[in-house]
């Protein structure tokens, strides 16, 4: 998988962005990539950062041969957290709009735009995926849950930092609900590739995180 005890070298994101559009045979709007990368580097982010983007891109590379349209999955990865505001419940919708605007300006066909939009909206993790590519993207997004313990614990702490404005007792109640929700699922990952590799370590990580949280402090 894309996680290891030794941090992977950082990706050349501008070059990665350029190569993606070369593969798609299209030209994105000028400065679209730079603006997107800058969004991922917003100072209020702690987990939903360039590191998360790079980990998702590497996980996407791992399953490229399983995808129906790998280029569209990569576009969805780039945009799935383009907008990230912990006080908003419309992040995925606004991120999907940004992707749609870029793809429209680049001349992508409406079917492709619709598929990428659907993938981004699916990362709300409220419903079953409607395609193989949606299932892969959802699993890529949650691959962090099955990462090595040290990486998972840093992720867990970073989520708290992103919600630092939320009172601790309220955060604990909400976070416990999220963690229990994951653990109660009969299957954390939709695809065999991720399920076979990450389901067990993810459940161990989630159980540890749940035990660390206490209803009161």
């Amino acid at each position: 998988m894309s996680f290891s005890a030794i941090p992977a070298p950082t990706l050349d994101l501008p070059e990665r962005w350029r190569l993606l559009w070369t593969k798609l045979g299209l030209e994105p709007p000028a400065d679209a990539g730079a603006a997107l990368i800058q969004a991922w580097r917003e100072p209020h982010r702690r987990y939903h950062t360039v590191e998360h983007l790079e980990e998702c891109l590497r996980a996407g590379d791992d399953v490229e041969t399983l995808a129906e349209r790998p280029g569209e999955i990569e576009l969805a990865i780039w945009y799935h957290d383009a907008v990230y505001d912990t006080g908003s419940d419309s992040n995925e919708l606004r991120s999907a709009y940004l992707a749609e605007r870029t793809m429209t300006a680049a001349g992508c066909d409406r079917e492709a735009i619709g598929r990428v939009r659907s993938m981004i909206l699916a990362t709300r993790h409220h419903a079953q995926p409607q395609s193989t590519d949606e299932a892969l993207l959802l699993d890529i997004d949650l691959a962090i849950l099955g990462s090595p313990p040290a990486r998972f614990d840093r992720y867990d702490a970073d989520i708290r930092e992103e919600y630092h404005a939320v009172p601790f007792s309220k955060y604990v109640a909400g976070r416990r609900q999220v963690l229990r929700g994951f653990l109660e699922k009969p299957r954390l990952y939709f695809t065999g590739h991720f399920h076979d590799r990450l389901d067990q370590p993810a459940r161990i990580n989630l159980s540890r995180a749940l035990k660390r949280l206490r209803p009161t402090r």
Side-chain angles (χ1 to χ4, degrees):
M1 291 304 300
S2 56
F3 302 100
S4 67
I6 302 173
T10 57
L11 298 177
D12 183 340
L13 290 176
E15 178 65 7
R16 179 83 187 219
W17 175 257
R18 185 191 68 80
L19 288 173
L20 168 61
W21 287 94
T22 298
K23 293 174 185 176
L24 294 172
L26 297 167
E27 192 70 32
D31 301 324
L36 185 54
I37 293 168
Q38 187 60 37
W40 282 94
R41 289 176 173 156
E42 290 168 334
H44 68 276
R45 298 176 184 241
R46 291 297 181 270
Y47 169 64
H48 294 86
T49 63
V50 164
E51 182 181 22
H52 173 53
L53 171 60
E54 292 182 350
E55 288 175 339
C56 286
L57 288 171
R58 290 191 182 94
D61 291 343
D62 290 344
V63 296
E64 183 174 5
T65 59
L66 303 179
E68 295 174 339
R69 299 176 179 88
E72 292 179 12
I73 290 183
E74 182 164 347
L75 263 178
I77 288 171
W78 274 96
Y79 277 100
H80 79 286
D81 284 323
V83 177
Y84 187 72
D85 175 2
T86 58
S88 173
D89 61 0
S90 63
N91 290 330
E92 293 84 4
L93 183 62
R94 292 159 65 195
S95 296
Y97 170 73
L98 289 177
E100 182 175 359
R101 190 169 66 180
T102 298
M103 293 179 73
T104 299
C108 293
D109 64 71
R110 298 307 302 174
E111 290 79 10
I113 293 171
R115 288 190 294 267
V116 171
R117 175 185 171 84
S118 293
M119 279 192 279
I120 294 170
L121 294 178
T123 62
R124 290 178 289 196
H125 298 282
H126 292 162
Q128 293 290 310
Q130 299 302 303
S131 68
T132 297
D133 286 353
E134 278 190 23
L136 285 169
L137 179 64
L138 295 182
D139 286 357
I140 287 167
D141 193 30
L142 294 185
I144 188 68
L145 301 181
S147 60
R151 177 67 186 101
F152 175 88
D153 290 348
R154 183 160 60 85
Y155 143 79
D156 198 37
D158 287 343
I159 292 294
R160 172 54 183 153
E161 284 297 309
E162 288 185 336
Y163 286 87
H164 69 276
V166 178
F168 185 79
S169 59
K170 185 176 180 180
Y171 175 80
V172 167
R175 187 64 172 162
R176 284 175 64 87
Q177 183 176 3
V178 169
L179 297 176
R180 280 198 299 264
F182 281 130
L183 284 169
E184 289 169 0
K185 289 184 177 182
R187 189 179 177 103
L188 283 169
Y189 298 100
F190 295 105
T191 64
H193 176 91
F194 287 93
H195 174 79
D196 295 344
R197 291 162 175 79
L198 299 182
D199 187 87
Q200 184 175 5
R203 291 184 185 280
I204 293 171
N205 284 332
L206 290 165
S207 296
R208 289 191 305 105
L210 189 58
K211 288 178 182 177
R212 281 197 298 263
L213 291 172
R214 297 289 181 260
T216 59
R217 188 177 189 178

